[in-house]
């Protein structure tokens, strides 16, 4: 507060407003994470927009973002994770195009109805192609029977935590 009765210059007001908004945004994202939101960590060779999309998918699958709930905005992702807003937009648009998110103009992005089940089906099919087919080929190459392979899978379920 200025005690000489003068208003602060517009630039100062703008900077103060930006600082307050920044603190508010950080508190909102921190609270969101505490409520079961997804904490993003970008790494590796995969483009950041794909990592963002996959981690949001993981949040939808785990229930951190239930159907009908709002996901953080593009601005929030960009500011919090220090990424270009266009990168965040590209990742979000991947999920919009897949029908997993939808936009309410002026409000934000929300998880679509049926998104969790659709993701589960997509991931199950990818799992089959990426892992099961290869495992069965290898098992047949080793001469394992279906019963032997099933026993190995059971053992894996018991051993892996």
């Amino acid at each position: 507060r200025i005690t000489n009765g003068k208003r602060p210059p517009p630039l100062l007001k703008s900077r103060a407003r930006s600082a307050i908004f920044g603190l508010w945004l950080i508190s909102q994202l921190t609270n969101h994470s505490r409520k079961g939101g997804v904490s993003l960590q970008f790494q590796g060779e995969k483009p950041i927009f794909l990592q963002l999309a996959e981690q949001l998918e993981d949040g939808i699958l785990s229930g951190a973002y239930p159907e009908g709930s709002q996901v953080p905005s593009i601005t929030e992702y960009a500011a919090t994770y220090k990424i270009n807003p266009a990168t965040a937009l590209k990742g979000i648009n991947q999920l919009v195009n897949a029908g997993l998110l939808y936009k309410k103009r002026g409000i934000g992005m929300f998880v679509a109805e049926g998104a969790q089940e659709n993701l589960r089906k997509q991931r199950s099919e990818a799992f089959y192609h990426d892992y099961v087919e290869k495992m069965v080929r290898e098992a047949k190459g080793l001469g394992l029977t279906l019963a032997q392979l099933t026993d190995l899978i059971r053992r894996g379920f018991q051993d892996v935590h």
Side-chain angles (χ1 to χ4, degrees), residues 7-54:
R7 292 179 160 218
L11 181 62
L12 181 60
K13 281 182 15 182
S14 174
R15 282 188 184 156
R17 219 176 296 137
S18 292
I20 290 169
F21 175 74
L23 292 172
W24 174 83
L25 179 61
I26 290 168
S27 74
Q28 293 300 303
L29 290 170
T30 302
N31 288 338
H32 183 74
S33 290
R34 286 187 195 132
K35 293 177 191 171
V38 176
S39 175
L40 303 177
Q41 296 178 0
F42 302 115
Q43 54 194 335
E45 297 293 317
K46 189 178 283 192
I48 290 174
F49 79 93
L50 287 177
Q51 292 181 55
L52 172 67
E54 287 175 1

Side-chain angles (χ1 to χ4, degrees), residues 49-50 52-53 56 71-75 77 85-103 108-110:
F49 79 93
L50 287 177
L52 172 67
L56 273 169
V71 298
S73 73
I74 290 155
T75 305
Y77 281 121
T87 300
L89 177 63
K90 195 171 180 180
I92 296 283
N93 279 339
Q94 293 263 125
L95 302 183
V96 170
N97 294 338
L100 301 173
L101 297 180
Y102 65 94
K103 182 177 184 175
M109 297 289 196
F110 294 81

Side-chain angles (χ1 to χ4, degrees), residues 107-141:
I107 299 175
M109 297 289 196
F110 294 81
V111 179
E113 294 300 317
Q116 189 176 45
E117 185 58 30
N118 289 340
L119 271 173
R120 190 168 278 114
K121 286 177 185 175
Q122 289 173 12
R123 294 251 180 123
S124 291
E125 195 61 27
F127 178 79
Y128 174 79
H129 290 294
D130 294 345
Y131 300 101
V132 175
E133 286 179 341
K134 292 175 185 174
M135 178 182 60
V136 169
R137 258 193 298 283
E138 181 69 17
K140 285 182 174 184

